[in-house]
Structures are given as C-alpha cells and as structure tokens.
Amino acid sequence: MSERMTQDAPPRPGALLARGVCRYMLSAGIAPVTEFAPEARLRADVMGVDARGRIWIVECKSSLADFRADAKWRGYLAWCDLFAFAAPADFPHEALPEDEGLLIADGYGAELIRLPAPRPLPPARRKALTLRLAMAAARRLRAALDPGAAAFDSLSGED
Amino acid sequence: MSERMTQDAPPRPGALLARGVCRYMLSAGIAPVTEFAPEARLRADVMGVDARGRIWIVECKSSLADFRADAKWRGYLAWCDLFAFAAPADFPHEALPEDEGLLIADGYGAELIRLPAPRPLPPARRKALTLRLAMAAARRLRAALDPGAAAFDSLSGED
C-alpha cells in the first residue's frame, strides 16, 4: 500500500505528483486510489472513479527519462475509460502522446490541460474494477484508521 | 466522517463495536466502511462489500435500550443483501429479531453467531451502492493520507 511505502522509503518523484493528481481528482469529483493493480503485471499510479461510474487512470511521469523507460503504459488503456499522463510544468509535453489526456502536476495540485478521449470499457470489466476499487479503498482506509485492523485482513496483498 | 468524529468527541459505545465488527469483516473478506448513508435519512454503522459484490449492513447495538430506541433499522433492509446486528456478549440476544444475522462484538473483534439470510438487492441498486461505497472509501482514504486533500474535495459532505 502506498501509505506504507511513504513511511519506509523516500517518496519517488512520481508519488509526489500522484498526491497533486489526487487533489485535482477530488476537486473534479473523481475519487482516487493510488498504486492500484488492475491486473497482476500492472500497477497504476492513480486510478479513480467518478459519479458516472467512469474509471480513470493517471500515470505520473516526473521526467522524460521516466516516460521513456515506461514500456507498460499502453497496457493501462484496457483498464480505464479515461487515461491521462501527469507531468511537471518543465516536462517537454510534446513528447507525450497527443491522443491521451494531460495534467500538469506538482506535489500540491494539478491542472487538466488536455481532456482524455473516452474509450468506454466493457460494462462487465468496469463493474469488476469498481468492486475491486471499493474493496481496496475500504481496506486501506480501515488500516489507516485502526492500526490493529491489518492483522485481520484476509485479503492482504491482493492489491 | 467517522475518523473526525473520533477525534472530536468520545467514541459512542456503538463506534467501539463497529471497530470490532470491521475487523471481523476484514477477516471474512468483506471490505467495511463505517457511518455510510445509503440514503439521506439513514446512516449505517457499518456497510461492507465482499468479493461477490454483495452489500452487507451491520447495525451495532451496545445495549437493549440502544436497540429499543432504534426505530429505523428496518429501513436498512432495502439497502443491503445481508443484514446483521452486532451486540456485546452480555446483551440479551433473544431480544433481537431471529430473522437477521447476529455478531457478538467488542472493540477488538467480533464473531458471527447467526448468518443473515440473503435478501438480494435489485442489481441496479447494488451497482449504485458499490460505486458510492468506492467513492466514499477512496475520498476518506485520501483525507487520511493527505491532510491537505480535504480542502480540494468537491464532494465533501455527500456521504
């Protein structure tokens, strides 16, 4: 879980961007969950769901090298209705794919510069993802509110 | 949000039971959210969702007087697949409706004594509740992880 990671190790630059992205999402009515794995090989920086039930994924790129080292991002397109990159203001944005959404972000907030084109998920996949997001967020929330809860969690390690 | 309540005021006896109930739910693969309002007039002590997508509601009764003062509990039956009461070991359990589930709980855990009979929700309602649970849990989680997040939350006050 991301909250553990930030206690045990210095935050990656992407994790700081993710905090700003989450603040943007909250302001836009999208409920965000960081470090969520839609399938075993993938781990989205920020996944979110809005009141219309649409699933968002935002991948945070702290630098051009960070983006170029990422061979996986196209894999996320099959797991969201809306996909966007988030990058700092000094990132060369023209290097990012024009067909995807774009947020300018720092650790304190973010701004949506380019709206993602919706690629609607099959309803069964959206339904399954929504359920898994609900369970992951609820379980992490309990761990945050009740330090004794984690020892009871039979699903520990499943996201 | 319940986490604020517990900081600002002494926890109600029911809130202590809710902590134990949440631990039980985690152990049973049910992801719990406390103090969730399925509709404006209601506020469930613990609502949860399991990997099969079933919605649970558990109402915590610290005493017989607490149960008898509750004129609302039947209203929750329309908002869950499975309904149970949670009460302390010294509660007169025969006073609770035999058709509903029963957990014996304290602040540290709980045990399921009587399995609730499922009353399957209409799929559209289950879908809407799952989405709202996901959003509420994710938003509360962000508030717990990032003290600056709440100021951004455009949905604040909606659950």
Side-chain angles (χ1 to χ4, degrees):
Chain A
M1 292 190 294
S2 60
E3 52 266 46
R4 283 203 196 133
M5 180 194 72
T6 56
Q7 282 167 5
D8 296 341
R12 293 173 298 110
L16 263 181
L17 294 184
R19 188 178 73 175
V21 167
C22 285
R23 291 179 178 188
Y24 162 77
M25 289 175 115
L26 289 170
S27 73
I30 308 161
V33 175
T34 61
E35 301 280 336
F36 182 87
E39 65 170 345
R41 297 171 303 109
L42 296 173
R43 194 160 194 86
D45 289 333
V46 187
M47 204 141 172
V49 63
D50 65 25
R52 292 162 62 184
R54 299 182 307 175
I55 306 284
W56 294 67
I57 288 181
V58 178
E59 280 298 291
C60 300
K61 298 302 169 198
S62 57
S63 67
L64 192 57
D66 188 9
F67 171 62
R68 289 190 170 149
D70 178 2
K72 287 188 174 181
W73 73 265
R74 285 181 200 280
Y76 293 113
L77 300 178
W79 298 96
C80 58
D81 296 291
L82 298 132
F83 180 87
F85 288 104
D90 62 1
F91 186 103
H93 300 121
E94 63 282 3
L96 293 170
E98 276 185 19
D99 292 345
E100 313 308 333
L102 177 60
L103 293 105
I104 306 293
D106 61 22
Y108 300 95
E111 192 176 346
L112 185 68
I113 300 295
R114 189 165 61 222
L115 199 66
R119 293 184 182 84
L121 284 171
R125 176 166 286 190
R126 189 185 297 112
K127 179 182 173 184
L129 279 171
T130 304
L131 175 57
R132 290 182 48 221
L133 272 173
M135 294 188 75
R139 292 170 45 231
R140 293 183 194 183
L141 176 62
R142 277 327 292 171
L145 297 179
D146 173 10
F152 288 81
D153 191 345
S154 65
L155 300 173
S156 183
E158 288 202 12
D159 58 72
Chain B
M1 293 190 293
S2 60
E3 52 266 46
R4 283 204 195 133
M5 178 194 72
T6 56
Q7 282 166 4
D8 295 342
R12 294 172 297 111
L16 263 181
L17 294 184
R19 188 178 75 174
V21 167
C22 285
R23 292 180 178 187
Y24 162 77
M25 288 174 116
L26 289 169
S27 73
I30 308 160
V33 174
T34 61
E35 301 280 336
F36 182 88
E39 66 170 345
R41 297 172 303 108
L42 296 173
R43 194 160 194 85
D45 289 333
V46 188
M47 204 141 171
V49 62
D50 65 26
R52 293 163 61 183
R54 300 181 306 176
I55 306 283
W56 293 67
I57 289 180
V58 178
E59 281 298 291
C60 300
K61 298 301 169 199
S62 57
S63 67
L64 192 57
D66 187 10
F67 170 63
R68 289 190 169 149
D70 178 3
K72 286 188 173 181
W73 73 265
R74 284 180 201 280
Y76 293 113
L77 300 178
W79 297 96
C80 59
D81 296 291
L82 297 133
F83 179 87
F85 288 104
D90 62 0
F91 187 103
H93 299 121
E94 63 281 3
L96 293 170
E98 275 185 22
D99 293 344
E100 314 307 331
L102 176 60
L103 292 104
I104 306 293
D106 61 24
Y108 300 96
E111 192 175 347
L112 184 67
I113 300 296
R114 189 166 60 220
L115 199 68
R119 292 184 183 85
L121 284 171
R125 176 166 284 189
R126 189 185 298 113
K127 179 183 173 183
L129 279 172
T130 304
L131 175 58
R132 289 182 50 220
L133 272 173
M135 295 188 74
R139 292 170 46 232
R140 293 183 194 183
L141 176 62
R142 277 327 292 171
L145 297 179
D146 173 9
F152 288 80
D153 191 345
S154 66
L155 300 173
S156 184
E158 287 202 11
D159 58 73

